[in-house]
Amino acid sequence: MSLIVLEKRELEDMKLFSHYIGKIACPTQFSLATGLISFANKDHMICSSYFVNDTNEISYSQIIRVTEDGIYRYSSKADKYLIGVRPAISTPDLDTKLILDGQIVNRDLSIMEYGYYPKSLIKKQIIKEDTGVKIKLPISDKALSKSEFREFPVYVNPNSNIYFIEYPIYSLCTRIGDEIFNCGDVATFEIEPVRFWVDNTTGLCISQDVIQGGVSYKMYSDSGYEYDDYYESDLYEAVEIMEENMIKLTRLIKQPDKEKKKEKK
């Protein structure tokens, strides 16, 4: 597995955060649809918390998060809506097939587009074709249960070449952009490149946004909570599924370009 959730020491080692920007992150519109809660921070930016892979050594039932103000706080490992996923990856683990674009900012930083994922809310697409590809996404309709993953078809509008999914809203009332969705409403999200910050010093890359919510770190089980339980966590499973989705979507969207090049030859 290549995608990861960074530990606190890894965040602290990145020049990206120590020299250039704070640790705050904005949620994508799709992440809000999955149940992630957003807040206006002290600078009036709409931000969300995200997971840090560090268990509280005193209370194993708590996990570190970065808050909407960019500071560390402990929260329950069972919380599904307060904390989202901001995936990261080490440069040696990058899959070259998923690299879409990149730009060097300076000797310390670069920007990279890596893989595709649902992101922006768009109008309902009247014209659509089923691509035959399905991706797994969390359904977070119950606060105190492990998130269920269901398969969703990926569609394309052949006129605009927009790839998208149709995703049901399970919260009672959710504001996404300028629209209000009630439980049972279906929203349409465009599939777009995921933008990453690349820290050239440490070789770590982290997404600019929080791209998914609706997943707890780990729901309580008979075995209880442990200090080092990331690889047995619900979060680990969710990140694994996210990576599978990115691979599927990138293969789907980039493939037509390859076919066009063959036709030209």
Side-chain angles (χ1 to χ4, degrees), residues 125-140:
Q125 301 291 291
I126 304 300
I127 301 173
K128 65 180 182 180
E129 294 179 356
D130 193 333
T131 65
V133 172
K134 294 181 179 180
I135 59 175
K136 293 180 181 179
L137 298 169
I139 296 297
S140 304

Side-chain angles (χ1 to χ4, degrees), residues 100-169:
L100 309 173
D101 199 2
Q103 180 181 350
I104 297 174
V105 177
N106 55 40
R107 68 179 183 178
D108 296 326
L109 302 177
S110 298
I111 297 174
M112 173 181 65
E113 289 185 343
Y114 185 79
Y116 287 88
Y117 213 73
K119 183 179 180 181
S120 300
L121 178 69
I122 58 175
K123 293 181 179 180
K124 180 179 179 180
Q125 301 291 291
I126 304 300
I127 301 173
K128 65 180 182 180
E129 294 179 356
D130 193 333
T131 65
V133 172
K134 294 181 179 180
I135 59 175
K136 293 180 181 179
L137 298 169
I139 296 297
S140 304
D141 55 342
K142 297 177 182 178
L144 297 178
S145 63
K146 181 178 177 179
S147 292
E148 174 188 353
F149 284 83
R150 296 183 189 172
E151 289 189 330
F152 289 86
V154 178
Y155 300 102
V156 62
N157 183 326
N159 294 339
S160 62
N161 204 37
I162 291 175
Y163 290 82
F164 61 94
I165 59 162
E166 296 173 337
Y167 185 83
I169 306 298

Side-chain angles (χ1 to χ4, degrees), residues 18-77:
S18 62
H19 289 69
Y20 293 95
I21 62 174
K23 295 182 181 67
I24 61 172
C26 300
T28 63
Q29 292 180 319
F30 173 70
S31 70
L32 298 178
T34 63
L36 181 63
I37 298 174
S38 63
F39 300 91
N41 67 11
K42 59 185 179 182
D43 296 318
H44 308 292
M45 292 179 61
I46 301 300
C47 301
S48 291
S49 295
Y50 56 91
F51 286 108
V52 180
N53 183 18
D54 277 277
T55 291
N56 188 335
E57 295 184 28
I58 298 175
S59 176
Y60 291 174
S61 64
Q62 293 183 328
I63 190 73
I64 293 181
R65 64 183 171 99
V66 173
T67 72
E68 66 276 7
D69 288 312
I71 58 178
Y72 298 111
R73 287 283 186 270
Y74 283 110
S75 292
S76 168
K77 285 184 175 179

Side-chain angles (χ1 to χ4, degrees), residues 220-237:
Y220 185 81
S221 62
D222 293 337
S223 60
Y225 293 109
E226 300 175 2
Y227 170 64
D228 188 9
D229 53 5
Y230 174 68
Y231 291 102
E232 287 76 43
S233 70
D234 303 334
L235 178 61
Y236 177 81
E237 178 188 11

